[in-house]
Amino acid sequence: ADKVYHALFLSRRNSARSILAEAVLNKLGKGRFVAYSAAVDPTAQVDPHVVELLAENDLRMTDMRLRHYREFTRTDAQNLDFAFTLSDSAAREELPEWPGQPATAHWSCPEAAKM
């Protein structure tokens, strides 16, 4: 009953979708979930609209940063319980076996920059 679940949200650039998913799950998970986000090809910065949206909705960016998914494949990486791809292009990548052998799923979310 006291288990804390660790979830990774993976997108192409880690500038919007995965950042939002990380922030929302960390808030709504109330300590039962710890979420992370990463990218196949990280961008240089979080989308400014996402930063504004997070602030408007009291969603914290504490400890959030743009990351490459390789950070989660290291031998000292946190074991994951869930790994979700959020972009179709990320889902087509040949991804590694994640530490902890998490349940994986693909949630197709359109890229906001292309809408």
Side-chain angles (χ1 to χ4, degrees):
D2 293 332
K3 178 167 175 47
V4 174
Y5 296 94
H6 295 266
L8 173 64
F9 294 98
L10 182 66
S11 64
R12 167 61 52 197
R13 301 177 321 137
N14 193 213
S15 65
R17 294 169 285 196
S18 54
I19 294 286
L20 288 168
E22 176 182 358
V24 168
L25 186 56
N26 280 331
K27 182 174 183 174
L28 298 179
K30 298 180 181 179
R32 293 291 315 274
F33 288 86
V34 176
Y36 312 93
S37 62
V40 171
D41 184 22
T43 188
Q45 66 181 29
V46 175
D47 182 305
H49 293 94
V50 169
V51 173
E52 183 178 325
L53 185 63
L54 291 170
E56 289 172 359
N57 290 281
D58 193 31
L59 295 168
R60 293 186 176 164
M61 284 193 61
T62 308
D63 300 329
M64 275 193 198
R65 59 187 175 76
L66 301 170
R67 295 175 253 218
H68 193 280
Y69 74 84
R70 280 187 234 123
E71 286 189 35
F72 296 92
T73 64
R74 298 179 183 151
T75 56
D76 63 342
Q78 172 65 52
N79 282 345
L80 299 170
D81 297 292
F82 306 99
F84 302 105
T85 51
L86 301 178
S87 67
D88 294 339
S89 61
R92 288 190 294 268
E93 294 286 328
E94 188 172 324
L95 297 171
E97 285 193 31
W98 303 106
Q101 299 179 329
T104 60
H106 174 58
W107 292 342
S108 184
C109 300
E111 187 175 343
K114 294 183 178 180
M115 295 178 73

